[in-house]
Amino acid sequence: MFDVTPGTRSQLAMMLTLADSRLPVGGHVHSGGVEQAIADRAVVDVDSLARFLHRRVVTTGLVAASIAAAVADGTVEVPAAQEETDARTPSAAARRASQAQGRGMLRLARRLWPDEDWSGHAPRTHLPVISGAVGRVSQLSGFHTALVLVYTTMSGSATAGQRLLALDPADVAVMIADLGVECERVAAAAAVELADLSDPTLDVFAERHERRDMPLFMS
């Protein structure tokens, strides 16, 4: 495990609070592809859900975390980060989902830090980009910003799977804990450089989900 100083703990608490799915970020209405994966029978139980989440963490999760880390560390400025996120998100549906959650995070950021310049996040912003900006304002490192993003993204999708499949919450909690180690590894890699990869299967799930009749989740 990585050492965390008392000051960092308070900053992490702030970031985790902002990423909470109950807040306007809206994570509770996004399954991250889990709903479509279940509909397509790619996910049917705890084990297949764990495999799906691991795959998401090491592909699209790594990409998003690397964007957030770069913005938090100041190695990539916000306008360029928006373009880099677009370029690394082939699915238009996935881009829209990212921007929908980005709007929620931006709304909170403006309330908490009204004196900061958030103009680079208008008229739209991706969740990884605004997460990185919030991490920078909170004086978090790129690693810790990436860790918060990848962990909360994974755990939010896990919770969606639990609800959709009526899984035992204890089983899902154990699965989330097991995946926490991989989240740390991915965050460490994300803090080194921008990741440049995609997962066509997850892109297909995103596009198919957007065309569903009466989905329970927005993505």
Side-chain angles (χ1 to χ4, degrees), residues 12 15-16 19 140 143-153 187:
L12 278 172
M15 191 72 175
L16 285 166
L140 280 180
F143 165 72
H144 284 112
T145 301
L147 181 58
V148 169
L149 179 62
V150 73
Y151 177 80
T152 54
T153 298

Side-chain angles (χ1 to χ4, degrees), residues 14-189:
M14 169 66 78
M15 191 72 175
L16 285 166
T17 299
L18 290 178
D20 193 310
S21 64
R22 294 168 295 181
L23 294 177
V25 173
H28 65 288
V29 298
H30 291 269
S31 77
V34 169
E35 182 173 20
Q36 190 59 47
I38 290 173
D40 290 349
R41 304 294 293 171
V43 171
V44 297
D45 53 19
V46 171
D47 289 341
S48 54
L49 177 59
R51 290 192 295 271
F52 176 91
L53 294 176
H54 179 272
R55 178 174 180 165
R56 186 174 182 225
V57 164
V58 301
T59 56
T60 58
L62 171 59
V63 170
S66 73
I67 296 288
V71 174
D73 283 339
T75 58
V76 177
E77 295 302 319
V78 167
Q82 304 285 15
E83 294 177 356
E84 295 288 355
T85 308
D86 279 336
R88 287 164 168 76
T89 313
S91 164
R95 291 196 297 273
R96 285 189 282 270
S98 173
Q99 291 167 355
Q101 293 180 81
R103 284 195 298 272
M105 178 72 84
L106 177 59
R107 177 184 173 192
L108 285 173
R110 282 173 165 163
R111 293 284 296 275
L112 287 167
W113 295 282
D115 295 331
E116 290 291 326
D117 180 11
W118 301 106
S119 59
H121 301 275
R124 62 185 64 86
T125 189
H126 283 288
L127 179 61
V129 180
I130 184 63
S131 295
V134 168
R136 189 172 185 179
V137 170
S138 301
Q139 299 182 331
L140 280 180
S141 67
F143 165 72
H144 284 112
T145 301
L147 181 58
V148 169
L149 179 62
V150 73
Y151 177 80
T152 54
T153 298
M154 177 275 293
S155 59
S157 293
T159 301
Q162 174 188 315
R163 292 162 61 187
L164 291 166
L165 292 171
L167 299 174
D168 185 334
D171 289 339
V172 175
V174 170
M175 178 189 67
I176 290 173
D178 288 342
L179 285 168
V181 175
E182 189 66 13
C183 288
E184 283 197 353
R185 188 194 68 77
V186 167

